[in-house]
Amino acid sequence: MQKLDNQNLESITGGASPWIALGIVATIVFISGVIEGIVHPKGCDAT
């Protein structure tokens, strides 16, 4: 195994960005809303 110094550790990049996590959460919420609308449809009440 190779030991890394601080300079090498600071140059490591990767992982998921917060935007990716937010996009996944938004997609899940949208799909659950679509499923909810299909399972429990509500009529249009124009008042």
Side-chain angles (χ1 to χ4, degrees):
M1 186 184 330
Q2 181 180 6
K3 292 196 177 204
L4 300 174
D5 59 4
N6 286 338
Q7 183 179 6
N8 289 337
L9 286 174
E10 290 175 358
S11 67
I12 295 175
T13 59
S17 73
W19 291 110
I20 294 173
L22 185 62
I24 292 171
V25 170
T27 302
I28 292 171
V29 169
F30 178 77
I31 291 173
S32 67
V34 170
I35 293 172
E36 176 74 18
I38 292 171
V39 173
H40 302 290
K42 295 183 179 179
C44 296
D45 187 21
T47 54

